[in-house]
Amino acid sequence: MRISRWSRSVAAGTGGVVIAALATTASAQESIAGPGGPRPGPDATPGGVSASAPPRSGASWTAEDAEDFWTAGRMESATPPPAAEAPAPGSAQPGATAKTKTRTQTTATAPRARAAAATPSATSYKGAKTIGVLYYVDSGMTAHSCTASVVHSPKGNLILTAGHCGPGKKHAFVPQYRTGKPAAQQPYGIWAVDRFFKDPRHTDTGPGSNLDFGFATLKPDKNGRPVERLTGANTLTRTPNYRVPVTVIGYPKAKYDPRDRAIKCRTTTSRLPGYKQLRMKCAGFHGGTSGSPWLMNFDERTQRGQVVGNLGGAGGGGSSSDVSYAPFYDDQVFKLYDDAVADVAKVERSPLPYALGTGETWQHAKQLASGDYTGDGKADLLAVWAGGEVTLHTGDGDGGFSAQRRLKAPNGTWKHAAAITGGDFAGTGRSDLIVRWSDGEVTLYPDVSAAGFGREVRLAKAKSTWKHATQITAGRFSGNKRADDLVVRWSDGELTLYREAGDGFKKETRLQKPNATWKRAALLVGGDFAGSDRGDVLVRWSDGKLTLHQDVGTGGLGRKTQLRGASALWKHAKVATAGGHTAGGRPDDIVVRWSGGEVSLYADTTTRLGTERNLVPPRTT
């Protein structure tokens, strides 16, 4: 379930999964990207500029061959009879999965399960001649694998489906598919696919999932006719907005629908937050429905409409069989359409702009620290992941990021980094990192850079009292010119200040005696929010309240300002840091990782929270 600034009232529950184990097998079709964004698709070139050469099914693969191949026996083996007690389309089914032939369904939480009762369900449908199924000879004949639809084109030979549905070898399209009939007896025949066209930047997660559409050209039938002459066609149409009344028609696999026939749902879409995708709630769109057209103004008489999306997108097309996604049709889909019409030899695209990644990945970011680690005067973001990986994300100085570098591969040591903070502890003018480890050891890494950590300086031994340092944050709390001081919140509620911490923890000032109040300080974020060139501390309390303490120093916690009252929203702020991520360079930009994996930047925070920018969309399930 999405947890974001609109609804962070449901906590994430995916603890224990390490970042090193996120990659699934290629057959899972739902691989979770590593830190920093989705993996490139299979057609991506090493340099990042992708090029795809649409494969042909073979000159010898014709409509007659497809008809001969798909005998009644093979069609029957491809759609085996379901169990006698299989539920009707749209009903909940244990293990009922994906829109594609391989995507796995996420288990619903209890609140989601209760809400499912109010979700509309698709109904069985006679089918439309412009919509049908895709069979793949190389799929093991386990089922028709995806749904496709005819779209109008100059040659009348074009179908539309999801990008993740192809390409395959010797695949065929069956309009208005009828179960139990061989290819030769299908109402509008069977059509051999010639070439498949997809955007080479498409990925299952992240921004690349917005490009989950594909086209295929069909060979003519034995009489030389194109498919559109027999079936008619839908019209490819720009998506007018995110709230669109649509009719969605698709073909679930036989194991999800005992009648092995089309289903239809009429509904109004909304936006999938953080993505350029439509979202609909309608039960029944199980595996096999990827590629289903989302049609405006569908006419039952002509069986045509305006296609403004296709079932696909993040994670392969939805978070369950009840919630489905579709890419928003803009210039990108029309560029691919033009390539398919022109029968280009290669589909070539410039790489997508760099993005941090997705909530599915960032929910595993355990610790964050800001600092100028690349030496270009702009704040960067260092992340320690649950699997022990450490990554550095290069800041662009405008609140965004331009690249990622791995500083540590997943490992057992950095799994034990319990708290980190960035500052200039060594006095070289470069950003350093202090790490408090789970066994109480504290180490300083001077001059961390894109090249790595360099030398290690021990500030406290293992099994020291620092095992009880629950929160640490650095800043200019002693009035000198360096952010080399450390504020520590201890497990008993004591609050202490260590000046010039890079020289060891010798200059200690108690800011608060042990107390019950400060035990509830869940996050400390040091920065210069008030603009006085002195260190301030923002506190996120266990009840979601936010307070700002200005000019923290040896004299105490300074002036206190409440930025937010107690709220469920800020309870879900799990990790936070502050740095000079925007123009001006003052460390007043707060980066927050929420429990749903969403990452936000609050730029130019003062005694009021700055404007929120979304850096990473929340996970989709």
Side-chain angles (χ1 to χ4, degrees), residues 261-583:
R261 60 184 297 183
I263 59 172
K264 180 176 72 171
C265 187
R266 290 176 176 165
T267 187
T268 298
T269 65
S270 60
R271 183 174 187 173
L272 174 60
Y275 292 83
K276 199 167 187 179
Q277 294 176 34
L278 303 176
R279 177 182 183 272
M280 78 160 182
K281 293 184 68 175
C282 190
F285 285 86
H286 300 290
T289 59
S290 276
S292 299
W294 295 29
L295 298 156
M296 289 195 316
N297 304 317
F298 180 69
D299 188 325
E300 287 285 355
R301 182 181 61 83
T302 63
Q303 297 176 20
R304 303 176 191 176
Q306 298 167 295
V307 58
V308 294
N310 61 266
L311 201 151
S319 58
S320 69
S321 64
D322 295 350
V323 180
S324 303
Y325 311 139
F328 188 100
Y329 284 176
D330 57 8
D331 287 346
Q332 299 302 322
V333 75
F334 283 93
K335 287 179 182 177
L336 188 63
Y337 170 85
D338 290 341
D339 285 345
V341 168
D343 198 26
V344 298
K346 284 186 176 181
V347 177
E348 296 182 311
R349 297 289 187 269
S350 299
L352 292 170
Y354 175 82
L356 282 175
T358 66
E360 284 81 357
T361 295
W362 280 86
Q363 65 184 332
H364 301 285
K366 189 174 67 169
Q367 305 291 344
L368 299 175
S370 295
D372 179 14
Y373 297 110
T374 55
D376 61 359
K378 302 170 184 176
D380 310 306
L381 187 67
L382 189 146
V384 179
W385 302 85
E389 185 174 9
V390 184
T391 54
L392 177 61
H393 304 269
T394 307
D396 62 8
D398 193 31
F401 297 87
S402 59
Q404 172 193 314
R405 181 178 293 271
R406 173 186 274 181
L407 301 185
K408 291 285 185 182
N411 64 90
T413 299
W414 281 84
K415 283 183 181 180
H416 298 286
I420 67 173
T421 189
D424 182 14
F425 305 106
T428 63
R430 296 290 298 272
S431 291
D432 314 316
L433 190 74
I434 282 182
V435 182
R436 196 276 284 175
W437 302 92
S438 59
D439 63 357
E441 184 178 9
V442 181
T443 53
L444 165 65
Y445 295 92
D447 299 341
V448 175
S449 70
F453 285 99
R455 66 192 179 97
E456 179 182 87
V457 179
R458 178 184 284 173
L459 300 179
K461 295 180 180 180
K463 299 182 181 179
S464 72
T465 188
W466 281 83
K467 190 171 184 178
H468 302 285
T470 305
Q471 297 286 334
I472 63 173
T473 192
R476 294 178 56 190
F477 303 122
S478 62
N480 65 14
K481 298 297 183 182
R482 302 201 326 254
D484 62 352
D485 309 310
L486 207 62
V487 171
V488 182
R489 198 273 282 179
W490 301 89
S491 57
D492 61 0
E494 183 179 7
L495 202 68
T496 55
L497 166 64
Y498 292 92
R499 290 168 287 147
E500 300 170 9
D503 295 331
F505 304 126
K506 303 171 184 177
K507 302 176 181 179
E508 178 181 4
T509 300
R510 174 182 274 176
L511 302 178
Q512 290 285 324
K513 294 180 180 180
N515 64 92
T517 298
W518 277 87
K519 281 185 179 181
R520 298 186 293 104
L523 290 176
L524 302 184
V525 182
D528 180 13
F529 306 110
S532 63
D533 290 330
R534 295 289 300 271
D536 310 316
V537 175
L538 183 141
V539 183
R540 194 277 278 178
W541 300 88
S542 58
D543 62 359
K545 182 170 63 176
L546 296 181
T547 58
L548 176 65
H549 300 264
Q550 298 174 227
D551 298 338
V552 174
T554 55
L557 286 169
R559 180 181 177 184
K560 176 181 172 181
T561 303
Q562 182 169 299
L563 276 63
R564 287 284 188 276
S567 70
L569 177 76
W570 277 87
K571 284 184 180 181
H572 295 285
K574 296 302 180 182
V575 190
T577 184
H581 293 283
T582 59

Side-chain angles (χ1 to χ4, degrees), residues 75-99:
M75 284 257 180
E76 185 178 355
S77 69
T79 54
E85 296 183 2
S91 61
Q93 303 178 55
T97 57
K99 321 301 182 189

